[in-house]
Amino acid sequence: MKIKCNSFIKYFLFVLSFSVCAKEKIKSFTLENSIPVYVNLDSSSHFTSLSVIVSGGINYYSKEESGLEDAVFNMITSGSKKYSYSDLQDFYYRTGSSISSRTVKNGSVYIMNSIDYYFDETFDVFEDGFFSPLFEKKEFDNLKKSYELSIQNMLNSPVELLVYYASQLIYENHPYSVSAKVQPESIKNITLEKVKEFYPSILDSRRICIVASGNFDFEKLIALLNRKFSKIPALKSELKNQVIEPVEVSGENAVFIHPTAEGSAEVIRFFKAPLTVDDDFFDFEIASKMYSDVLFNVVREHFGDCYTPSSSSTGGKAPLGYEMLSSVSNLKDFAKHTKIARDIMSGGNVVSGKDKKGNFITEPVSSRLKSYVNSYINSVYASSQTVYSLNLRLSYSYLNYQDVEKSDELFQRIYDVTPEGVLSAFNKYFVNESSRWFCVVGENEEDSVYFE
């Protein structure tokens, strides 16, 4: 059965229409060098946001160079020939504008945000950063120190260490063994020389798209983009596009040792998850939200095995589903108790509490589905209606699908989620897929861990 619309759903349909109906306001244009430009016009806003998207990501660097593109884009935002780092800070303070970058496995987004009054000034700073980065040694040294600190923090965090080690094992010999972020095995290879050497490869019109959202004079914007962006050449090097196969989770369970995890272990179980384009993706998403609450009621509240249980997926083109238990105190029984939680959910129920005798009070998935769908819509869209967030969402949609509207079109399928679909997805992925446990414990606690 499909979910019927009530007033609450209608409200979110209205919210969603803000982005989905953006297609009616999106104008497209192609620069002289074939770079596509998509402009989501909003004359009611006083804000502007513009992104330069460079696709390709991990196709263009190795595991030993993980984070190299991230370093390049960070340096692009750290000063240019016309604007030093200190100039940028003064400019941001005076205008309230910002220029930043984000790097993921599929590529990078270089993005500016400004009040429309300061757009021309901000665009000039933005343009100069992209085409004439300063690559100042002082700023690179500061960046590398921040990477080193981040890695040190990760190595000192049982949770982050657990995810890092588990990912290394699961994605071994897979394209996703390459990370968009700097890793312990790559930090020594991230040098200013390599950053300078890598930078010209992103100036390839075949890999670039431009997305803008907000209050623009469309003709003026195109003229500004034609000033330099239309001059970016199409490089003669081969375009790289690895086939990212789904990852099969197999192998022995693994236990890692970390002194700070003593008496409070971190545990995660990984298994294959659906792609965002798969028919059962949103069934899986709702199932994982429901199952997180079942885990909370069973594993934490009833058995007291851990502090925070949850379930979700990693996303990407080789996604993993997972259930994670944080601050685990019962190393002997946690796996047995998660199975009890899975059995409840697999039987078509969620847990709403306990009776006076300590027995679980359950409700059918069908009776709670509407509230979980509403909550999911709210979590995705309630905080993402600014010009900046909309522009970023369109940009990520292009990175993922080469289509700025695809993400919002796919999201419409949330309204087709059914109880039967949720249970089917839960049993397919959480129950029947092969899985692998990983655990971080304190010293001398390894033999106390039971995965069955």
Side-chain angles (χ1 to χ4, degrees):
M1 65 178 184
K2 292 189 177 182
I3 303 171
K4 295 180 180 179
C5 286
N6 57 17
S7 59
F8 197 58
I9 285 287
K10 286 178 180 178
Y11 164 73
F12 281 109
L13 280 169
F14 169 76
V15 172
L16 186 58
S17 72
F18 177 86
S19 55
V20 173
C21 291
K23 70 177 76 175
E24 298 174 3
K25 298 183 290 181
I26 289 179
K27 285 190 172 187
S28 61
F29 185 83
T30 303
L31 299 182
E32 296 168 2
N33 55 354
S34 299
I35 290 179
V37 179
Y38 300 94
V39 184
N40 182 59
L41 296 171
D42 184 0
S43 59
S44 66
S45 174
H46 288 291
F47 295 92
T48 61
S49 183
L50 188 143
S51 302
V52 175
I53 304 159
V54 181
S55 301
I58 62 173
N59 290 290
Y60 289 89
Y61 48 94
S62 66
K63 179 179 179 180
E64 292 71 30
E65 297 171 319
S66 288
L68 180 57
E69 183 169 296
D70 183 75
V72 170
F73 275 84
N74 267 292
M75 289 305 294
I76 287 174
T77 66
S78 298
S80 64
K81 289 182 178 179
K82 288 168 63 176
Y83 304 95
S84 69
Y85 181 81
S86 60
D87 291 336
L88 291 177
Q89 305 318 303
D90 292 342
F91 175 75
Y92 298 150
Y93 179 79
R94 176 173 63 83
T95 65
S97 302
S98 67
I99 296 174
S100 60
S101 67
R102 298 192 180 194
T103 297
V104 294
K105 288 185 182 293
N106 292 347
S108 295
V109 179
Y110 176 57
I111 187 166
M112 60 160 277
N113 304 284
S114 74
I115 301 170
D116 52 7
Y117 181 80
Y118 291 113
F119 174 76
D120 288 353
E121 285 185 80
T122 308
F123 182 82
D124 189 65
V125 176
F126 181 77
E127 182 184 63
D128 201 58
F130 192 73
F131 289 101
S132 305
L134 197 57
F135 294 126
E136 191 173 49
K137 185 179 185 303
K138 176 185 175 182
E139 301 309 330
F140 177 78
D141 289 343
N142 289 337
L143 175 63
K144 190 154 185 178
K145 285 178 183 177
S146 72
Y147 285 145
E148 291 168 346
L149 180 60
S150 177
I151 290 171
Q152 190 59 49
N153 289 339
M154 183 266 285
L155 295 175
N156 288 327
S157 166
V159 174
E160 293 185 45
L161 194 64
L162 173 64
V163 174
Y164 169 71
Y165 280 144
S167 299
Q168 291 283 303
L169 291 173
I170 290 177
Y171 288 122
E172 186 177 12
N173 300 319
H174 186 276
Y176 272 16
S177 64
V178 182
S179 174
K181 302 301 180 184
V182 176
Q183 298 294 302
E185 65 272 13
S186 69
I187 182 68
K188 65 180 182 296
N189 299 318
I190 306 302
T191 65
L192 183 56
E193 290 69 28
K194 282 214 168 185
V195 166
K196 291 178 179 179
E197 181 182 328
F198 188 84
Y199 164 71
S201 69
I202 72 172
L203 300 177
D204 185 347
S205 63
R206 300 171 300 172
R207 296 172 54 195
I208 292 176
C209 171
I210 296 173
V211 176
S213 297
N215 186 18
F216 292 102
D217 178 324
F218 182 73
E219 300 301 327
K220 178 182 176 182
L221 176 62
I222 295 304
L224 285 172
L225 293 174
N226 270 320
R227 190 168 65 188
K228 283 192 177 181
F229 284 95
S230 67
K231 308 301 188 295
I232 297 174
L235 300 184
K236 295 181 179 179
S237 57
E238 180 184 359
L239 285 173
K240 299 179 181 179
N241 188 20
Q242 298 179 84
V243 176
I244 309 295
E245 298 288 352
V247 65
E248 299 296 332
V249 180
S250 61
E252 296 182 358
N253 301 321
V255 179
F256 310 110
I257 309 298
H258 195 283
T260 61
E262 185 173 355
S264 184
E266 303 293 331
V267 177
I268 194 165
R269 184 176 74 95
F270 278 121
F271 45 89
K272 188 165 70 172
L275 297 164
T276 54
V277 294
D278 288 343
D279 291 339
D280 57 0
F281 173 76
F282 288 106
D283 297 301
F284 175 94
E285 289 289 285
I286 299 301
S288 70
K289 303 303 179 188
M290 288 184 165
Y291 182 54
S292 288
D293 289 342
V294 175
L295 279 173
F296 182 88
N297 281 288
V298 174
V299 179
R300 172 181 161 154
E301 293 295 281
H302 186 73
F303 292 108
D305 292 342
C306 71
Y307 186 73
T308 307
S310 61
S311 66
S312 189
S313 67
T314 61
K317 294 184 179 179
L320 295 171
Y322 64 84
E323 54 184 288
M324 186 171 189
L325 309 180
S326 184
S327 300
V328 179
S329 55
N330 184 355
L331 295 174
K332 182 179 178 181
D333 300 313
F334 69 83
K336 180 169 57 178
H337 295 157
T338 59
K339 186 178 185 307
I340 292 174
R342 284 197 297 277
D343 287 344
I344 292 172
M345 182 80 179
S346 182
N349 296 299
V350 294
V351 178
S352 57
K354 292 188 292 185
D355 60 22
K356 293 180 179 180
K357 295 182 179 180
N359 298 314
F360 295 121
I361 300 173
T362 62
E363 296 180 50
V365 165
S366 58
S367 70
R368 300 290 299 279
L369 181 60
K370 191 178 296 183
S371 64
Y372 277 93
V373 169
N374 290 343
S375 177
Y376 185 82
I377 295 170
N378 185 39
S379 69
V380 172
Y381 281 102
S383 62
S384 61
Q385 296 306 313
T386 65
V387 166
Y388 166 72
S389 59
L390 172 59
N391 199 57
L392 198 58
R393 193 163 71 244
L394 296 174
S395 299
Y396 279 143
S397 182
Y398 187 85
L399 269 181
N400 291 329
Y401 310 110
Q402 301 294 293
D403 183 341
V404 295
E405 298 168 14
K406 187 67 173 180
S407 287
D408 287 333
E409 289 177 1
L410 288 173
F411 195 83
Q412 290 297 296
R413 288 161 34 194
I414 187 68
Y415 302 107
D416 296 325
V417 170
T418 66
E420 295 79 12
V422 168
L423 291 174
S424 176
F426 182 80
N427 286 313
K428 177 180 178 180
Y429 296 103
F430 284 86
V431 178
N432 296 326
E433 275 290 344
S434 61
S435 65
R436 192 175 179 184
W437 286 100
F438 300 89
C439 182
V440 172
V441 298
E443 294 175 353
N444 303 317
E445 291 182 324
E446 183 177 1
D447 294 336
S448 302
V449 182
Y450 290 80
F451 292 112
E452 299 297 336

